[in-house]
């Protein structure tokens, strides 16, 4: 994937994902609380220097596992626990995987722009 966004800027990542057809129900860009929630309730963050060492583009997958199962079926990502009960699964995706992950997220009708 050619670099279409600054990987350290969540705003750029969200704009890129929206340009591919994803829809977000919520976005927060405060310095210490930066994330966006997809229509299907999986959230997206960019983490650097996380306490648990899991950094980069992070998806906090919704408890129904719909997005998580699709992504893991293709990419076999390591799944980490997340303390939030609504989004108890955390996975890290690379920039190279992002377009494929977006395609998988678009298979969830709730994540699609209408």
């Amino acid at each position: 994937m050619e670099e279409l966004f600054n990987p350290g800027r969540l705003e750029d990542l969200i704009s890129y994902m929206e340009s591919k057809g994803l829809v977000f129900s919520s976005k927060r860009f405060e310095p210490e609380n930066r994330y966006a929630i997809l229509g299907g309730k999986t959230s997206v963050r960019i983490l650097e220097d996380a306490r648990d060492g899991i950094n980069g583009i992070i998806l906090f997958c919704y408890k129904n596992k719909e997005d998580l199962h699709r992504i893991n079926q293709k990419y076999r990502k390591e799944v980490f626990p997340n303390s939030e009960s609504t989004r108890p699964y955390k996975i890290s995706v690379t920039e190279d995987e992002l377009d494929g992950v977006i395609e998988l997220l678009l298979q969830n009708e709730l994540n699609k722009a209408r």
Side-chain angles (χ1 to χ4, degrees):
M1 180 183 100
E2 67 181 81
E3 190 169 306
L4 297 174
F5 63 93
N6 177 339
R9 284 188 35 88
L10 182 61
E11 295 91 333
D12 292 345
L13 175 61
I14 299 314
S15 292
Y16 179 73
M17 294 174 84
E18 287 175 328
S19 77
K20 297 293 187 176
L22 290 170
V23 65
F24 291 85
S25 62
S26 175
K27 302 173 192 173
R28 296 188 68 155
F29 298 122
E30 292 96 27
E32 296 299 318
N33 199 15
R34 302 174 56 75
Y35 64 88
I37 300 173
L38 286 157
K41 299 186 183 172
T42 288
S43 68
V44 178
R45 294 186 73 184
I46 295 176
L47 296 178
E48 299 171 356
D49 300 321
R51 286 182 297 222
D52 60 7
I54 304 161
N55 296 298
I57 301 168
I58 308 296
L59 298 176
F60 293 89
C61 296
Y62 185 57
K63 62 186 173 186
N64 70 2
K65 299 183 184 178
E66 183 175 347
D67 295 330
L68 178 69
H69 283 316
R70 282 194 185 102
I71 294 166
N72 259 349
Q73 191 170 20
K74 180 171 182 177
Y75 291 102
R76 304 284 182 224
K77 304 299 288 181
E78 184 171 358
V79 179
F80 301 95
N82 184 37
S83 60
E84 183 186 346
S85 62
T86 303
R87 293 170 196 84
Y89 313 102
K90 178 167 66 169
I91 57 175
S92 175
V93 299
T94 67
E95 283 185 61
D96 291 339
E97 296 166 334
L98 185 60
D99 283 334
V101 167
I102 289 170
E103 288 177 25
L104 296 170
L105 291 170
L106 285 167
Q107 292 178 22
N108 179 341
E109 290 295 318
L110 298 173
N111 290 333
K112 283 177 136 173
R114 300 184 205 296

